[in-house]
Amino acid sequence: MTHPHLGPGTAELALEFGLSRAEYDLILDKLGRTPNVIELGIFSVMWSEHCSYKSSRAHLRKFPTSGPHVIYGPGENAGAIDIGEGLACIFKMESHNHPSYIEPYQGAATGVGGILRDVFTMGARPVALLNALRFGDPAHAKTRRLVDGVVRGIGGYGNCVGVPTVAGETNFHARYNGNILVNAMCVGVARADRIFTSAAKGAGNPVVYVGAKTGRDGIHGATMASAEFDDAAEAQRPTVQVGDPFLEKLLIEACLELMESDAIIGIQDMGAAGLTSSSVEMASKGGAGIELDIDAIPAREAQMSPYDFMLSESQERMLMVLKPGREAEAKAIFDKWGLDAAVIGKTTDTGRLVLVWNGAAVCDLPLGPLADEAPVYERPYVKPAPLPKLDASEVAEAPFAQALVKLMACPDMASKRWIWEQYDRHVMGDSVSESGDQGDAAIVRLHGSDRALAMTSDVTPRYVEADPFEGGKQAVAEAWRNLTAVGARPLAITDNLNFGNPQKPEIMGQIVAAIEGMAEACRALDFPVVSGNVSLYNETNGQAILPTPTVGAVGLLDDVSKRAGIGGARASDALIVIGEAQGWLGQSLYLREVCGREEGAPPPVDLAAEKRNGAFVRALIADGLARACHDISDGGLACAAADMALAADVGVALAAPGDAPAHAALFGEDQGRYLLAVAPEHRDAVMARAREAGVTASVAGTFGSDTVSAGGAAVALTDLRAAHEGWLPSYMKGGV
């Protein structure tokens, strides 16, 4: 009797696997025959949105991806940039959205595990983790459970594997009710002359599997991640992988030890689509072929078929191609670390993927159609119509104290201490400061030196929804600004483009416009894209998420002692604002939280002003003239000043605004601006330097007392702190 997976892969089965009828017909044309079920399964995962980027690849080419410090741009497991002194920074961000909604703990945990492997597979020791989280309306029945599970999953994996989680962001909006976002980022450091790639060049080289045994968990995970949800989403729990951070730690150390030799030709982690994607990508990038012996793969379960082995997404597994004769050397290292390892095949010169099971070939596919020749679609799109600018005079003016407390305690702006205190932020001993309460970006020292990396994650989805082009620009600009605000020189970005169904022209229009806006900002700010991930079909019952092109960014501090944080202000310091303001209230948090409106165009981004203002601020920090620095974003000047006051535990009196209405001047979210705490003796020098540099600067207030005040109204710091710190713990206890 023929094994069911060796039967014909029918058109009906192709639809079940997530392929369209046209794609199935294309497979028949490419092969000149009907595939069997194993072969059809392999095509389905390799042609999934998650692996092929078939809807976005044509537009991703618009990103600038090169620069004087770029070593590897998109196309490798992660991006690599030269950070001097013989070192490279390797980093990437990826999504684990669908799995985290279905099974929040394991979905988030394995998202962390997967992004760690993307980085250490290139020879880098992971030094930091970040995460960008979007949850639904706090009042939604599932939100509290999802927050709890995701945060425990991130902490459970990162803490156990021994890599600090140092930065991130957490937002809430009803549009994420049925489809949360969990974007994980990892930053690592490698020797610049010892970076490993995935290309498996040459024929007759041994293919080695190492790590956890393969089970049936995660089968068709890539396909599930490339489809919309409906009310039965939780029935897909078997497609979510299960992680083991302790095994991952052993895998990191074993791989880095083997990388000290010259035994490895190519190496790839088994992420989305597992053994299928890793083997296909390695062989195709190396211009080779690959033959795998299914019977040699370490198995966790009995009676697994080739289909199970090839489509499983079991975690903590790596695939590598070694130089002939080096197998015993590798095996000794893997045995030392207690890891399963086996030679499971060889490279060939055929340009084909061949699977042998029970002595017979059960799959024989050309690599081209699986990889470089996968479909690329120019999907029709409709660019969103721009929204009109909102006149501040049409927005109600709430009492200052009431508005400030409401904003500082709203779900998006409330302290996320409850979250980050569950993460080990100081393991490895090089975390100088974390983002959030201490600075706009996290700072991690380059071990044993005075230099440090700065890192951040940013996007404002409500801006992108209102104007994807300007919102895309703003996401890049804010990441650049957050690195600048701690004194770091911005170097490069990774991205995670989270959108709805690209087959809907209005959603595709969001994708195209956001990419073009991001690309324009990257070019203007010399901020290339070196890696990234696209996560589409983030919809449930036809309701798309807010468009969320998350930007992860890395910068460099040449002297970690010359840095700035949010805290540090002292009584009598001047609060100086850098950058121009119109009092822009369109799409502001003030408009949404205080007035209950989500309207108008978002604030525009002047990239020339961003670059000029940022260079000025970095120079002030380097010269020791700014005691503290904070970029102005959500909640405008008043909330940024309140952040600084809380961090320093010293009040601030905000000066009377200029021509704009008071609520617009205080809570408007004009871009390209920073707040500086400057000692009284340096105030005039800073203002003079601003005039010389052509930078707009003004005194926005003075630090002192124990309140945050404006226009005769004041909020005690103790009351503001209680509101700001209290919302999330109360919510997670079942209150609010």
Side-chain angles (χ1 to χ4, degrees), residues 247 270 303 449 481 543 564 626 706:
L247 184 58
M270 295 190 220
Q303 298 180 324
S449 80
R481 204 182 308 138
Q543 174 69 65
D706 56 3

Side-chain angles (χ1 to χ4, degrees), residues 130-456:
L130 301 83
N131 52 77
L133 312 177
R134 317 285 164 183
F135 296 105
D137 184 341
H140 190 269
K142 292 183 179 178
T143 299
R144 189 180 285 105
R145 179 182 66 84
L146 290 168
V147 173
D148 176 68
V150 165
V151 171
R152 284 191 298 107
I154 290 169
Y157 205 101
N159 296 355
C160 291
V161 84
V163 178
T165 300
V166 297
E169 50 186 337
T170 305
N171 293 145
F172 297 83
H173 195 281
R175 290 277 291 282
Y176 301 107
N177 281 351
N179 200 126
I180 66 173
L181 301 184
V182 175
N183 295 171
M185 177 175 167
C186 180
V187 179
V189 176
R191 280 173 45 184
D193 63 351
R194 196 176 286 271
I195 297 175
F196 291 80
T197 64
S198 54
K201 299 174 183 175
N205 299 319
V207 177
V208 175
Y209 170 116
V210 62
K213 290 181 170 70
T214 298
R216 290 187 173 91
D217 52 326
I219 289 177
H220 270 295
T223 307
M224 176 268 290
S226 305
E228 293 183 34
F229 276 165
D230 56 25
D231 290 329
E234 293 188 10
Q236 299 188 58
R237 191 168 277 117
T239 62
V240 179
Q241 313 92 324
V242 177
D244 182 345
F246 299 105
L247 184 58
E248 179 106 338
K249 173 62 173 173
L250 300 175
L251 194 58
I252 292 172
E253 299 304 331
C255 288
L256 292 179
E257 183 173 335
L258 182 59
M259 287 167 172
E260 288 298 312
S261 73
D262 63 347
I264 298 173
I265 294 173
I267 182 169
Q268 173 95 358
D269 84 298
M270 295 190 220
L275 189 52
T276 291
S277 64
S278 55
S279 58
V280 168
E281 289 174 14
M282 291 181 76
S284 61
K285 286 179 182 177
I290 192 164
E291 181 178 310
L292 300 179
D293 178 3
I294 300 298
D295 299 302
I297 300 172
R300 196 171 69 224
E301 300 180 41
Q303 298 180 324
M304 288 181 63
S305 71
Y307 179 92
D308 297 332
F309 278 111
M310 294 305 291
L311 272 68
S312 167
E313 292 185 10
S314 294
Q315 294 292 285
E316 292 84 40
R317 301 180 301 158
M318 306 288 284
L319 195 67
M320 58 186 71
V321 173
L322 301 182
K323 293 178 180 177
R326 307 298 291 272
E327 299 94 323
E329 178 184 345
K331 185 71 162 57
I333 291 173
F334 299 142
D335 286 346
K336 167 188 168 182
W337 291 100
L339 295 170
D340 284 296
V343 176
I344 65 167
K346 63 184 178 183
T347 57
T348 67
D349 59 3
T350 65
R352 302 183 74 83
L353 169 68
V354 176
L355 306 179
V356 176
W357 184 47
N358 294 333
V362 293
C363 167
D364 188 344
L365 296 173
L367 287 169
L370 294 174
D372 295 338
E373 299 167 28
V376 175
Y377 297 129
E378 290 271 8
R379 297 203 185 274
Y381 63 89
V382 177
K383 286 203 173 182
L387 296 174
K389 179 182 177 182
L390 196 65
D391 189 331
S393 66
E394 299 174 6
V395 179
E397 181 170 359
F400 170 76
Q402 174 188 319
L404 182 65
V405 171
K406 186 164 183 79
L407 284 170
M408 293 297 286
C410 78
D412 278 2
M413 287 208 69
S415 170
K416 304 306 184 294
R417 181 185 299 275
W418 181 91
I419 292 175
W420 54 253
E421 282 190 340
Q422 297 186 51
Y423 304 151
D424 189 335
R425 307 174 323 277
H426 299 287
V427 65
M428 300 179 77
D430 286 317
S431 300
V432 178
S433 69
E434 307 90 40
S435 67
D437 288 20
Q438 295 187 24
D440 287 319
I443 300 173
V444 177
R445 185 190 305 272
L446 290 167
H447 193 70
S449 80
D450 293 327
R451 302 192 307 143
L453 294 171
M455 55 205 73
T456 185

